[in-house]
Amino acid sequence: MIATDKLTLKEKVFATIDAARDELFDYAKSVAKEPEFGFKEFKTAKKVEAQFDKLGIPYRSHLAITGVKGLLKGGKPGPTIAILGELDAISSPDHPLADPDTGAAHACGHHMQQSAMLAAAYGLARTHALDELCGNVVFFAVPAEEYVQLAYRKKLRREGKLHYLHGKGQLIYEGEFDDIDMAMQMHSSKKTPEPTVAVGTSSNGFVGKTIQYVGRSAHAADAPDQGINALNAAMLGIMGINSLRETFHDEDAIRVHPIITKGGDLVNNVPDDVRIETYVRAKTMEAIEKTHKKVDAALRAGGMAIGAEVHIDTMPGHLPLVCNATLNELLVENAKEAFPSVKIINAGHFSASTDMGDVSHLMPAIHPFIGGTDGLLHGADFKVVDFDAAALLPGKAFAGMVIDLLADNAQKAKALLDHYEPILTKDAYIKKLDSYFSEEEP
């Protein structure tokens, strides 16, 4: 395929995405009205399936409980590129579109990820663009990026329904990335209403922890000396973590942010069962491994001071994200072709986490931040102010990248893969994540 043909194909795909704007907007609005937490996205998954049915894209569903994986095959064999969109919402009960029963809301823009993925699907499927390309495209709606409701997920793990507590990790474990060679996904940005592509290089990873302090109940007024106050133990544990912060190296971008999920049962009883959840985040797995052991020591010291038992469960979270430079460059080129006025920002490292980091350890991957939104991520004020910038821009850019990578006998995709060395093999990935499981039953 000569360059002129490639440009013509892109223009056709971009125009098709523009023509589907109303369909995509209605989809996003529907998803935003019915937000669901991770591994519970049954309604959202059905909406994705309906879109694939409309486009004639064959798919498999119920992957990692709710994942939906569509496939478009190229005219000739070649590499397989995945475009991902996350299904789950976050807790933001004050958000105007929050579910009144659960507090779930799309205050992180995952409905824009789905819309961008589907925009690329509309453009590539309706133009039959893959007929002229060498390779395949997977449109992958993936569950449970937000690492929340850990008690529920641990229950699913005990029941044998999950091995890992996050969506992409579970999909990797199930083998659903075995047939994929490279992957791309966007994320909405915060307070960026104008058309913008923020190209990142890396993110923090983390391990997750649940902590239980077990004391002894007694009458809080009549006989507090007969009790063991688990809440005091927990508070000392958290204070111990805070006392560690001056030992954290700035370059490691360490974040430790515990919450108390149960502080006691009755105000008139000495608390005997107090529970905490926390992440230990950092820029590298080495920093995470060093820091989370310090955190454990601080948490245990709180229990020792009061005489309470301490039970710490550590679980693998997300690996640090490592973005592929070649894919980032292609993204910028195609974003400019799709939206000539787009603002390009070098975002560098960001201190939040994404399970796209797990994928990036196995294959070339990117995770840019996209404008068209305002307010804070996970905040009640988060909103989409420019749907075209928030969803159509990345959808067009991803579709354009597919054309660039798989045209000319997939020359660019093959060259990228020929020079790529994964950070981990799948077997090494599973071994590494499994090594973080450390569970202490009370």
Side-chain angles (χ1 to χ4, degrees), residues 243-262:
S243 298
L244 288 172
R245 295 189 189 280
E246 67 180 25
T247 72
F248 298 163
H249 293 290
D250 292 345
E251 60 269 25
D252 288 333
I254 294 167
R255 302 286 190 274
V256 186
H257 40 92
I259 62 168
I260 296 176
T261 58
K262 181 181 180 183

Side-chain angles (χ1 to χ4, degrees), residues 69-288:
K69 184 178 181 182
L71 174 66
L72 276 183
K73 291 187 176 182
K76 294 181 181 178
T80 297
I81 302 169
I83 302 174
L84 279 60
E86 293 162 351
L87 293 165
D88 58 331
I90 188 65
S91 179
S92 185
D94 294 330
H95 193 279
L97 294 178
D99 185 302
D101 296 322
T102 67
H106 278 287
C108 205
H110 289 187
H111 60 318
M112 290 300 99
Q113 293 181 351
Q114 297 170 46
S115 300
M117 174 195 72
L118 289 171
Y122 270 74
L124 294 170
R126 285 184 167 171
T127 59
H128 302 282
L130 268 292
D131 292 349
E132 303 181 43
L133 303 175
C134 298
N136 311 311
V137 182
V138 165
F139 303 102
F140 212 160
V142 296
E145 186 271 340
E146 303 289 354
Y147 199 85
V148 298
Q149 298 187 327
L150 299 188
Y152 169 71
R153 298 187 188 187
K154 288 168 70 176
K155 176 176 176 288
L156 292 178
R157 176 171 158 80
R158 288 193 300 270
E159 293 171 349
K161 297 175 182 177
L162 288 179
H163 186 74
Y164 297 130
L165 276 62
H166 57 298
K168 296 186 192 70
Q170 181 64 22
L171 288 164
I172 291 169
Y173 182 79
E174 292 181 7
E176 294 301 336
F177 279 90
D178 290 356
D179 58 350
I180 295 171
D181 296 297
M182 60 189 75
M184 56 188 77
Q185 176 187 291
M186 54 75 70
H187 198 289
S188 295
S189 190
K190 66 179 185 290
K191 293 186 175 181
T192 312
E194 64 275 10
T196 304
V197 173
V199 180
T201 55
S202 58
S203 80
N204 276 2
F206 70 89
V207 294
K209 293 180 183 288
T210 58
I211 304 97
Q212 181 181 17
Y213 288 90
V214 180
R216 183 169 62 237
S217 184
H219 195 292
D222 182 59
D225 60 303
Q226 300 300 307
I228 297 175
N229 194 313
L231 181 58
N232 286 344
M235 291 168 64
L236 285 173
I238 292 173
M239 289 173 65
I241 293 172
N242 290 336
S243 298
L244 288 172
R245 295 189 189 280
E246 67 180 25
T247 72
F248 298 163
H249 293 290
D250 292 345
E251 60 269 25
D252 288 333
I254 294 167
R255 302 286 190 274
V256 186
H257 40 92
I259 62 168
I260 296 176
T261 58
K262 181 181 180 183
D265 295 302
L266 292 171
V267 70
N268 207 29
N269 292 354
V270 172
D272 66 342
D273 182 3
V274 173
R275 306 188 186 201
I276 293 174
E277 290 183 7
T278 192
Y279 298 170
V280 179
R281 303 189 199 244
K283 189 174 184 178
T284 67
M285 293 312 298
E286 292 76 16
I288 293 169

Side-chain angles (χ1 to χ4, degrees), residues 423-439:
I423 300 169
L424 295 173
T425 64
K426 179 186 171 185
D427 288 344
Y429 167 84
I430 291 172
K431 183 178 180 180
K432 187 170 190 65
L433 262 65
D434 283 353
S435 73
Y436 290 117
F437 279 116
S438 175
E439 298 175 273

